[in-house]
Amino acid sequence: MSARFRRTFRCQLTAFWLIGICGGTGHAFAQRRVDGALDNEVHVSANVDARGFSQTGTTISLVPVSTSAGSINGDTITLPRGVHGLEFEVRFSSWDPDNNGTTLLAWQAMIDSSGFTSGLQGSLAPTLASCTTDGDCTTSFGGICSNTGVACNVNSDCPESPIEACQGPSCGFPTDPTNCTPGFIYINRPDYVFIGADGDLVTLDMTTPDYTYASVVATGVALPPPDPFPAGGAYAGTLRLETSADAAGEFTVGFRPGEFTILVNQNNQFIPNVTLVPAKIRIPEPTIEFRPVGGVGNDITVTAGSTVTLELYVSRWTPLPLNVYDIFLDVASYTNGIGTDLAPPVIACTGNAECEAAFGPGAPCMDVGLGQQCMAAFIDQSRGDFIFAGEVAAAAVDLGSIPDYRWGARTITSSVTDAGGLRYAGSLVVDVPAGAAGTYIFGFDAAPDTTLLDDLDQPIAALHVPAKINVGSCGPSAAPVPQMSHDTLGTPVVYRKSRYLSIAGGDPGQLQAIRLTFASLPAPFDTWNGTQLWVGEPFGVCELASQDPASCTPSESAPGYLAATLQCDPHVMDWTLLRGFCSNGICHGSLNAGDPCVTPADCPDAVIHVQHEAIVPSTLLTTTGPIDHAATYDIQFVNALCDMGAEGNFSPPLPIATSGWADLAVLAGAEFLPPDDLINVFDITATFQKFLGDPLAPSKTVVDLVGASTGPEPKLDHLISTLELVFVLDAFGGAEYPFPPGPVPTCP
């Protein structure tokens, strides 16, 4: 059961139903009404074998079913801007698509609330309706008659009233006792997944925004799929959300994967290969942005001494007609505190032709008190993608306070509707001097200075997207450095881990990428030797065993570290700008971890913990060592402005090896030290202490061994569950790394 349910069930449960610590193998299920109100407590045996799987193609979907505005097309709701109510249903497509006799004993679906803020701006939130009685909620949201399954709002709507009642969302839930529950389960609907089941135990945990829907057949008799299967899938729950007034972009709301969202079959086994299908909410976002000519999207990487042309674009202002744009450059864009400031180029001129030759069509030659010069900010109204092309329009650039430019235009004839795509609004030419270095962000002054106006001269709220000018040079790169520790004698040693490679480094002020080469892997993974992949963008992971990146971000109160996976394309950044986390006054996730701190600036040189299913453990001759074949990887930096196809441009390699499978740590007093090529009680202790949340336990990067999105798998999930305990115990008994090699990792 998920961490959310552990609080509900008043006992400590592990990752779903793998091990019960509530007395034997029985697990406490809280019997609930459709809204999650606690009625009584019962015990059900649900001793799941997490290692038995059979092939299936089942889906669990969050399906949009209604909206107060806009339209629904499949899994997507498209909305105008504003506050709108949305309704979704949790549905299962099937649990026996191959007709091999699979039946359903239990299920759990946890909403991933991180999707509530996954758009470009604004948010989604549970829909709230104030109430004093349950009847207020069925009146607001609707309900289902308890016997006949007919839709209702009040008891009198039910055909068998007063014998049956209108049931639905109730008044009050754990975090808000004065509002109707935004999540609920209509257990009397004809298409309910366990309709007609004897003793169906239903629970809905709403103690956090990650609402968790679940049910188990109390009698232990699993149900076959209904015949015929309901159109759109069997119903399992309802969720109501609403958009904030400023919400824009595409929001994706689905389920937390792994042990948080699962189906269990008649043999108490996870049904594998369950596809989780999220819902999408699209809200067009009027956008004002800079895009560099010759760049990728809003970014460009250049060498010092270059010239960059930035172009202004406006897009997605539908459904309002556009009449005016007024765009102010943020003058702070020219500086970054690292390198020499950027500036508009100064070119003397006698006519427009010279300026158009230097900067492009539309660049004028003017005297604004500095002599005749080419103006680096201009609007080329002759372009076919000009926002007011084909209209009579007045357009101009305010040059009165160079280089704090302002672009503006107004239609004279009629307003312009959005025909789709990017519409040009102006240009800016910038010199990148010899001393420039690092990243310069060219953005805009906030509204009301930078604004769009409709045909009634009313503001159209717009998203501002800046451009990034990354400046560097093709110079030599220093090799990465490994994370270090010490052994029981105090001798410095590289901190080897079973499934992670932990590194730091980079050259200050340089934009670089990190390449990883599979140098020498043990059989049967040696077929991967020579493969090269790139380290992706780092992301924060909290140290608590039950928190994955979707549920927790490291903070002042939540210790954590930076992880990254491998990918086909280089991720370019100044890696030296990464910091560790200052949590509870102590540095975490940096080379100086353990030192006191006040802010993250006190924790420089963040350690990047690289993980991937192709990072495999070394092999040991026996559980008492020594190393038989070290799984070794070479890691190198390369400057982004160098030819990445030329080996001479890469840094010297850092060879770094993993530890043996489940060889995790040595316990010296109260301190866990790097592994010693022995699989013993110290490794079991390290895993158990981390699972229990002991702050003295080693990092999650030491203990994280397997993932569980569809059962045990080599792709890590940043969670410490009973699977880690099981595999460490198996390794202590002599078991080897359990996963065979997949295809050789290749990139297009």
Side-chain angles (χ1 to χ4, degrees), residues 98-126:
D98 301 323
N99 297 315
N100 58 10
T102 298
T103 56
L104 187 65
L105 176 69
W107 57 269
Q108 175 174 289
M110 178 184 282
I111 299 297
D112 184 354
S113 63
S114 66
F116 295 177
T117 55
S118 58
L120 289 175
Q121 66 181 36
S123 63
L124 310 177

Side-chain angles (χ1 to χ4, degrees), residues 103-175:
T103 56
L104 187 65
L105 176 69
W107 57 269
Q108 175 174 289
M110 178 184 282
I111 299 297
D112 184 354
S113 63
S114 66
F116 295 177
T117 55
S118 58
L120 289 175
Q121 66 181 36
S123 63
L124 310 177
T127 301
L128 300 180
S130 60
C131 60
T132 56
T133 68
D134 290 353
D136 295 335
C137 299
T138 55
T139 299
S140 298
F141 292 152
I144 296 292
C145 296
S146 57
N147 294 341
T148 58
V150 174
C152 58
N153 290 100
V154 295
N155 290 342
S156 59
D157 292 337
C158 296
E160 298 181 4
S161 176
I163 298 175
E164 65 174 340
C166 185
Q167 296 181 340
S170 293
C171 185
F173 57 107
T175 59

Side-chain angles (χ1 to χ4, degrees), residues 349-585:
C349 59
T350 58
N352 291 344
E354 300 165 70
C355 300
E356 292 193 346
F359 295 159
C365 177
M366 299 178 63
D367 185 349
V368 290
L370 300 173
Q372 290 285 105
Q373 292 184 3
C374 294
M375 295 296 102
F378 55 92
I379 301 173
D380 179 8
Q381 297 184 63
S382 67
R383 288 178 52 155
D385 62 346
F386 174 52
I387 195 168
F388 293 142
E391 302 290 335
V392 178
V397 177
D398 183 354
L399 305 172
S401 55
I402 296 173
D404 192 6
Y405 295 113
R406 173 188 179 189
W407 297 259
R410 174 186 286 271
T411 59
I412 305 301
T413 51
S414 62
S415 300
V416 176
T417 56
D418 179 14
L422 299 172
R423 303 302 298 270
Y424 169 80
S427 300
L428 172 65
V429 182
V430 179
D431 264 348
V432 182
T439 298
Y440 299 80
I441 299 177
F442 275 74
F444 310 98
D445 285 351
D449 291 340
T450 294
T451 187
L452 306 176
L453 300 179
D454 66 13
D455 57 344
L456 299 177
D457 282 351
Q458 296 300 307
I460 302 173
L463 182 69
H464 297 170
V465 180
K468 294 181 181 179
I469 300 177
N470 305 303
V471 184
S473 61
C474 180
S477 297
V481 297
Q483 182 185 20
M484 301 293 293
S485 185
H486 61 86
D487 61 17
T488 55
L489 299 178
T491 305
V493 295
V494 173
Y495 207 138
R496 294 178 297 121
K497 298 166 186 178
S498 196
R499 297 297 314 282
Y500 284 82
L501 305 173
S502 300
I503 61 166
D507 297 291
Q510 297 299 310
L511 297 168
Q512 297 173 299
I514 303 175
R515 188 182 70 180
L516 184 144
T517 302
F518 297 31
S520 178
L521 304 188
F525 301 96
D526 52 348
T527 58
W528 294 350
N529 288 345
T531 299
Q532 294 180 328
L533 295 173
W534 299 88
V535 175
E537 182 177 5
F539 54 91
V541 182
C542 291
E543 280 285 4
L544 194 63
S546 62
Q547 292 177 326
D548 62 7
S551 62
C552 179
T553 300
S555 65
E556 293 181 3
S557 59
Y561 57 89
L562 291 175
T565 189
L566 299 175
Q567 60 188 37
C568 287
D569 298 318
H571 176 72
V572 174
M573 63 177 296
D574 183 349
W575 297 83
T576 65
L577 297 179
L578 296 174
R579 300 287 182 263
F581 299 96
C582 183
S583 303
N584 303 316

Side-chain angles (χ1 to χ4, degrees), residues 176-336:
D176 194 339
T178 62
N179 277 291
C180 300
T181 54
F184 42 92
I185 303 173
Y186 290 124
I187 61 175
N188 298 309
R189 275 179 48 159
D191 59 348
Y192 172 56
V193 62
F194 276 161
I195 190 70
D198 184 17
D200 173 27
L201 301 180
V202 182
T203 184
L204 175 52
D205 183 356
M206 291 186 290
T207 55
T208 77
D210 289 342
Y211 296 164
T212 305
Y213 304 73
S215 182
V216 63
V217 181
T219 60
V221 178
L223 297 185
D227 185 17
F229 209 86
Y235 167 82
T238 297
L239 173 67
R240 288 182 177 271
L241 301 175
E242 67 179 19
T243 58
S244 64
D246 62 340
E250 181 172 291
F251 296 81
T252 301
V253 181
F255 306 97
R256 292 190 60 189
E259 70 266 31
F260 299 105
T261 301
I262 50 85
L263 303 178
V264 177
N265 67 18
Q266 71 272 25
N267 298 317
N268 293 322
Q269 298 170 338
F270 291 160
I271 296 176
N273 302 322
V274 176
T275 301
L276 306 183
V277 181
K280 296 179 180 179
I281 302 92
R282 291 176 178 163
I283 307 172
E285 62 288 358
T287 303
I288 301 171
E289 61 184 302
F290 268 131
R291 290 193 168 219
V293 175
V296 178
N298 303 98
D299 290 20
I300 191 169
T301 299
V302 298
T303 57
S306 303
T307 298
V308 174
T309 298
L310 301 176
E311 292 184 340
L312 276 169
Y313 290 97
V314 177
S315 60
R316 296 185 288 266
W317 63 87
T318 186
L320 299 172
L322 183 65
N323 190 44
V324 173
Y325 69 83
D326 196 3
I327 301 173
F328 285 73
L329 174 69
D330 181 359
V331 72
S333 301
Y334 294 103
T335 183
N336 67 358

Side-chain angles (χ1 to χ4, degrees), residues 626-679:
I627 289 282
D628 176 40
H629 189 137
T632 305
Y633 301 81
D634 288 344
I635 305 179
Q636 297 168 281
F637 276 108
V638 64
N639 195 295
L641 294 175
C642 294
D643 178 2
M644 295 185 186
E647 286 298 319
N649 291 329
F650 285 79
S651 74
L654 168 69
I656 187 169
T658 54
S659 64
W661 171 238
D663 180 21
L664 308 180
V666 172
L667 184 59
E671 183 181 11
F672 284 97
L673 300 177
D676 56 358
D677 301 336
L678 302 174
I679 302 174

